Amino acid sequence: MSEVKTEATRDAYGKTLVELGKENPKIVVLDADLAASTKTADFRKAFPERFFDMGVAEQDMIGTAAGLAASGKIVFASTFAVFGSGRAWDQIRISAAYTRLNVKIVVTHGGITTGEDGASHQANEDIAIMRAIPNLTVIVPADAYETAKVIRAAAKFNGPMYIRLSRIKSPLVYKDESFAYQIGKGITLRQGKDVTIIACGIMVAKALEAAEELSKQKINCRVVDLHTIKPLDKELIVRCAKETGAIVTVEEHSILGGLGGAVAEVIVENCPVPMARVGIKDMFGESGKPEELLVKYGLTAKDIAAAVGSVLKRKK
Amino acid sequence: MPSKEKVLELKNIAQKLRQHIIEMICQAASGHPGGSLSAADIVAVLYFHQLKHNPKDPKWVDRDRFVMSKGHAAPVLYAALAESGYFPLKYLTTLRQIGSSLQGHIDMLSLPGIEMSTGSLGQGLSAANGMALAGRLDNKDYQVYCLLGDGECQEGQVWEAAMTSAHYKLDKITAIIDHNKYQIDGSVEKIKNLKPFGDKWKSFGWNVISCDGHDVKAVCEALEEGKNYKGKPSVIIADTIKGKGVVFMEEKPLDYHGKAPTETEKEVALKALCQIILDKDENK
């Protein structure tokens, strides 16, 4: 077996932010006492005058970001996903989203692979609560290369965004940054006709792994990297439902209201086909090593393959 | 300092804003008269004396910023914007009606001249800090004013923001507290006491100024003092009366926090507010 190359999406964020800082003096970065973990420390080192640590005060951070953005700055505000979504939800809703300001909330430590810190630090509900806010674009990149593309796109995009990254080193899905990336347009990574696996974040790599295994049983899986949860690529989802007749969604998030919920809404209204959601059941996580947690909470290639099996049985 | 004539003019503008507030809220049959009336003198001084602004160029980069953090006092801001010429006065009576740009709480995207959307209390000072930081980065000289309610200061975010202003030595920030001493459920003192209020701000690293929030000359002086103070943000605790200018509201502030007066009450209120204040009047 060949060595799989890995990189944490948060590392790609830190590097890209420094590059952007060189190119665009309007970029300002805020953090809430987690700069070393979110990797905004790279920017702090390169551009100390354009970095502001807001201390342990996420609500104030989002409000400050809104004020900077209202004065023409492109603001990246970072913390862990739990705090950057839930703790500051109302500030994101009113100060950043209602105002359509250029606030890019880039959070790390999304999902259960936050690991040892335990349930309090594992954001398994953030996608659901963020995508419920009007005007807010929600993105979960699949790997470090895509993260770099997303962060660059975010700096050019006019409006508020929530971008969710991971703590752990995860497999590189793309071979480099040469692929075309567009906010709101899913990317089909593998063609197939029996079922479509729609995934986001670090689960895209797991989806590809499952598809490879299933191909040995002559099950032909299409795999889509649906990085943008909002606005959702409805056209692509409906096409996949029509062409493959079954859908499995995969996310490192609660099965309630996240990618699976969003895709289900589209499928039900436009092209009902058998569907299964792979994600964390409606429960809190716990401390443990990321890989152990992925196994315990049903987020492995094996779990995806089982879900594919279940929808294929229901497929006419 | 403002001339005698200016002071008189500001007093009359404040009364005009109060008339608009009553008319708008009665037309809408909903809204927050008490906290709009208490802030009328402060807002009149800001828009017609203190703020460096240009209604013909609302996005002028060097303008002073004003953030109305107590977003339920939207009527007084709308009245000041209209009287300043940001939009025609005739729109004022569309307050809170479907399709109107005059939203129940402040929406920066629906009207010119508004710096920040508010309504969920406690958020304005953080945004004001962001504007001040941007001004510092851009070597701008503008001042950022932020008006808060006293009840609003029960929100934790206000104190997070207060720490930020002080930590970054944002002396271009002037916070003004419309200290009318009442919130929806009762007196601020009874619901959740803020005392010692000035000491709290002082201990958070602010320069604290107190003034009578209905004495326009005193408000002018306090704003000037705040603007000129270096090295620390300044907060003006403006002593005000909820429902100021409408006697029956002043007497029963709790009945008029978020309720429109009746048609009869409106006539009574307007009759008093339409009196032009003359030089000889001692009326503030």
Side-chain angles (χ1 to χ4, degrees):
Chain A
M1 198 175 138
S2 67
E3 181 91 352
V4 181
K5 274 204 270 180
T6 63
E7 187 181 343
T9 50
R10 60 175 168 147
D11 286 322
Y13 171 49
K15 278 183 231 167
T16 310
L17 211 45
V18 173
E19 289 165 18
L20 285 170
K22 284 177 200 156
E23 296 162 21
N24 192 342
K26 283 186 183 171
I27 289 177
V28 174
V29 177
L30 305 181
D31 206 300
D33 197 37
L34 289 167
S37 296
T38 64
K39 303 299 172 187
T40 60
D42 299 349
F43 188 94
R44 176 176 64 190
K45 196 175 168 200
F47 308 101
E49 71 290 353
R50 281 191 273 151
F51 176 89
F52 299 101
D53 204 318
M54 304 311 296
V56 192
E58 296 78 12
Q59 302 177 356
D60 182 42
M61 174 171 76
I62 298 299
T64 307
L68 280 156
S71 314
K73 303 298 174 192
I74 301 167
V75 191
F76 285 80
S78 290
T79 176
F80 287 175
V82 270
F83 312 127
S85 58
R87 189 63 183 252
W89 191 84
D90 189 43
Q91 286 71 19
I92 295 169
R93 179 172 180 266
I94 294 301
S95 293
Y98 187 40
T99 54
R100 292 182 191 268
L101 285 167
N102 234 340
V103 176
K104 320 296 176 186
I105 303 153
V106 183
V107 296
T108 64
H109 296 60
I112 201 151
T113 52
T114 294
E116 292 84 346
D117 277 350
S120 65
H121 282 53
Q122 294 159 350
N124 296 331
E125 313 83 5
D126 58 328
I127 299 173
I129 62 173
M130 287 293 104
R131 83 179 183 91
I133 298 178
N135 300 346
L136 191 64
T137 294
V138 179
I139 298 182
V140 188
D143 73 355
Y145 290 130
E146 190 169 57
T147 299
K149 305 276 277 190
V150 169
I151 298 303
R152 291 197 155 272
K156 284 191 187 146
F157 180 88
N158 190 23
M161 299 176 88
Y162 180 80
I163 300 167
R164 185 213 219 201
L165 307 177
S166 300
R167 173 193 163 214
I168 58 163
K169 285 194 161 81
S170 60
L172 290 164
V173 169
Y174 296 92
K175 63 178 189 333
D176 52 37
E177 283 181 41
S178 67
F179 64 103
Y181 178 84
Q182 201 185 335
I183 293 167
K185 291 284 169 207
I187 300 171
T188 304
L189 292 170
R190 185 182 172 114
Q191 291 297 340
K193 58 178 177 38
D194 297 331
V195 60
T196 305
I197 307 174
I198 298 176
C200 66
I202 61 165
M203 298 310 289
V204 173
K206 305 261 182 214
L208 286 167
E209 195 186 324
E212 187 60 33
E213 279 303 309
L214 288 163
S215 72
K216 291 171 191 163
Q217 301 164 40
K218 302 282 183 257
I219 296 170
N220 203 337
C221 300
R222 181 178 298 182
V223 177
V224 170
D225 165 15
L226 202 63
H227 48 77
T228 307
I229 317 291
K230 189 178 181 174
L232 202 59
D233 191 345
K234 290 179 189 163
E235 190 257 323
L236 176 65
I237 294 167
V238 172
R239 183 150 36 90
C240 289
K242 282 184 179 157
E243 289 174 2
T244 68
I247 301 277
V248 171
T249 57
V250 190
E251 64 198 303
E252 193 198 355
H253 181 274
S254 168
I255 53 168
L256 304 181
L259 172 73
V263 170
E265 287 160 15
V266 172
I267 297 289
V268 161
E269 288 188 347
N270 297 280
C271 181
V273 294
M275 182 180 164
R277 292 164 299 156
V278 174
I280 294 156
K281 306 300 180 278
D282 184 18
M283 65 201 301
F284 285 104
E286 64 183 86
S287 291
K289 291 197 175 71
E291 285 301 326
E292 292 170 346
L293 291 165
L294 288 171
V295 172
K296 184 163 177 180
Y297 288 83
L299 295 169
T300 64
K302 229 182 236 174
D303 297 301
I304 299 167
V308 166
S310 81
V311 291
L312 289 179
K313 268 186 212 154
R314 287 154 52 208
K315 199 174 153 183
K316 282 168 200 160
Chain B
M1 280 308 102
S3 63
K4 258 175 108 175
E5 293 72 29
K6 186 73 192 179
V7 168
L8 196 61
E9 183 198 328
L10 290 170
K11 283 182 186 175
N12 281 300
I13 289 170
Q15 287 302 83
K16 195 170 250 183
L17 299 185
R18 288 192 167 95
Q19 292 165 33
H20 288 311
I21 290 165
I22 296 299
E23 281 167 350
M24 290 162 82
I25 291 176
C26 283
Q27 182 75 27
S30 76
H32 298 81
S36 298
L37 292 167
S38 63
D41 299 292
I42 297 163
V43 172
V45 171
L46 282 167
Y47 276 86
F48 297 90
H49 176 65
Q50 189 72 18
L51 285 179
K52 193 169 62 178
H53 69 130
N54 180 1
K56 294 203 166 58
D57 185 10
K59 296 280 174 195
W60 175 37
V61 291
D62 293 319
R63 72 191 182 281
D64 286 336
R65 270 67 168 171
F66 172 64
V67 176
M68 175 71 101
S69 192
K70 47 175 289 187
H72 56 285
V76 67
L77 177 60
Y78 297 156
L81 290 172
E83 283 289 345
S84 300
Y86 282 92
F87 56 86
L89 286 163
K90 65 177 182 185
Y91 290 120
L92 289 179
T93 50
T94 67
L95 174 74
R96 289 178 167 246
Q97 288 172 32
I98 193 158
S100 170
S101 293
L102 280 70
Q103 291 294 297
H105 291 79
I106 296 163
D107 172 12
M108 66 180 274
L109 298 182
S110 68
L111 279 176
I114 295 181
E115 303 290 354
M116 186 52 58
S117 301
T118 53
S120 178
L121 292 174
Q123 301 195 21
L125 188 55
S126 297
N129 285 337
M131 292 171 193
L133 286 169
R136 180 179 287 176
L137 285 171
D138 294 340
N139 293 314
K140 296 284 184 193
D141 194 39
Y142 61 76
Q143 192 78 12
V144 186
Y145 299 90
C146 180
L147 182 65
L148 301 97
D150 48 6
E152 180 180 11
C153 292
Q154 290 161 351
E155 287 282 5
Q157 188 187 351
V158 170
W159 301 100
E160 291 184 3
M163 275 188 263
T164 297
S165 324
H167 179 79
Y168 287 103
K169 300 184 170 59
L170 297 176
D171 53 16
K172 293 285 181 192
I173 289 275
T174 306
I176 307 143
I177 316 278
D178 177 9
H179 191 20
N180 63 32
K181 291 158 289 280
Y182 285 92
Q183 57 191 107
I184 303 178
D185 276 357
S187 78
V188 175
E189 192 172 358
K190 277 200 184 133
I191 300 303
K192 189 178 273 193
N193 188 23
L194 296 166
K195 289 175 185 169
F197 198 33
D199 289 347
K200 279 194 173 73
W201 286 96
K202 200 176 167 194
S203 72
F204 272 70
W206 286 62
N207 171 46
V208 182
I209 302 163
S210 296
C211 77
D212 176 345
H214 300 309
D215 178 344
V216 296
K217 188 163 172 275
V219 173
C220 290
E221 286 165 2
L223 286 169
E224 199 56 26
E225 185 188 336
K227 186 182 171 182
N228 293 331
Y229 195 91
K230 299 295 167 212
K232 276 183 185 182
S234 289
V235 58
I236 298 166
I237 299 177
D239 191 15
T240 58
I241 295 166
K242 195 148 182 163
K244 174 71 180 177
V246 178
V247 176
F248 61 87
M249 290 193 189
E250 290 184 23
E251 286 169 351
K252 289 187 171 175
L254 288 175
D255 289 355
Y256 297 95
H257 171 90
K259 200 188 87 183
T262 63
E263 201 55 35
T264 322
E265 288 172 333
K266 174 183 149 185
E267 296 309 319
V268 175
L270 287 179
K271 205 173 167 190
L273 291 171
C274 287
Q275 306 284 331
I276 293 170
I277 300 167
L278 300 170
D279 209 5
K280 59 183 171 50
D281 293 336
E282 295 214 324
N283 193 344
K284 279 173 186 172

